[in-house]
Amino acid sequence: MSYTNQRIAYGRTLVELGKENKNIVVLDADLGGSTMGKLFEEAYPDRHFEMGIAEANMTSVAAGLAQTGKIPFTNSFAVFSGGRAFDQIRQTIAIGKLNVKICGSSSGMSDFGDGATHQCVEDMAIFRAVPNMTVICPADANETVEAVKAITEYNGPCYIRLNRNDYENVTPEGKKFEIGMPSVLKEGKDIVVFATGIMVGLALKAAEELDGKVSVKVVNVSTIKPLNQEAVIQLVKDAKAVVTAEEHNVAGGMGSAIAEAICKECKPIEFVGIHDTFGCSAHNYADVLQYHGLTKERIVEAIEKMDNFN
């Protein structure tokens, strides 16, 4: 079944996986109606745990469940799932290499109405810096389904960030998710655009607008860590320059990971993302993205700048 919302794709995929894998358990921090943990609760009430507004306690319980052979998924808004429980994630789950899956829902600017306190623009940087942690940012709902399957099979700590809103899919339904590997969605030879999350679709639209003017390769980076650096290097070898696009602070995010990978290639790089600022409330998602320059037009501008770079 195809979905257009990452949260629904996530919740329903967990329900499907839970049919066969009785070790999957889900924990919510009073937000099951938003994270879609409620779907798992409806299907398997004996394997769902409502922990209340207590992310730190939820995370500690998940760590304990993992040590009994369960595969716990913890759910909250991204800003809370990592921020409020960082000590427990670092000290217990990451150091212990425990098999806990942390879901950061309503990531980036996608909770447009609640402003800076509920918008998380630093989660990928935080989780990238934690040893033993795998960090996933699916491009769309189709990829979310496959990413959830992949991290369920993977034995170790994982963080997956999900968007709150509906938007069109840009990846094929049912394509197996390979942790660590970037995937080319459009071939091109002049500029390589590495994008993640909702910015993948915008990068494809930007490349389409420039068709015939600039040859643009668009790469979906859905694994932020571990990132196959050799694959990234091969993707940029013959290109003039690189552009990165993410709904995240450019400090420490996907763009930083790409820059680290290609530093020896000495390619000029332009970062499209959030520049050292918090989010803000808006009437709709499009408005907040526009305000922070997370648009097709900004990606087009970055590509043209790099194409003319001397």
Side-chain angles (χ1 to χ4, degrees), residues 91-123:
Q91 303 293 74
T92 306
I93 292 172
I95 290 177
K97 299 181 183 180
L98 300 182
N99 193 26
V100 177
K101 318 306 176 184
I102 303 157
C103 179
S105 193
S106 297
S107 66
M109 303 288 187
S110 63
D111 187 5
F112 57 84
D114 289 329
T117 58
H118 285 59
Q119 295 164 354
C120 196
V121 300
E122 65 276 13
D123 52 327

Side-chain angles (χ1 to χ4, degrees), residues 225-290:
K225 179 191 172 190
L227 179 61
N228 188 315
Q229 293 194 343
E230 185 55 39
V232 171
I233 290 168
Q234 291 303 314
L235 288 169
V236 305
K237 264 203 175 304
D238 299 322
K240 293 167 60 176
V242 171
V243 171
T244 66
E246 61 193 309
E247 187 189 10
H248 185 275
N249 197 330
V250 297
M254 183 272 293
S256 291
I258 295 297
E260 291 164 17
I262 67 170
C263 60
K264 292 180 181 178
E265 294 296 311
C266 299
K267 301 286 184 181
I269 185 169
E270 178 79 358
F271 302 93
V272 176
I274 299 161
H275 292 269
D276 199 27
T277 185
F278 288 109
C280 59
S281 59
H283 292 297
N284 56 60
Y285 189 34
D287 282 353
V288 75
L289 292 177
Q290 175 76 33

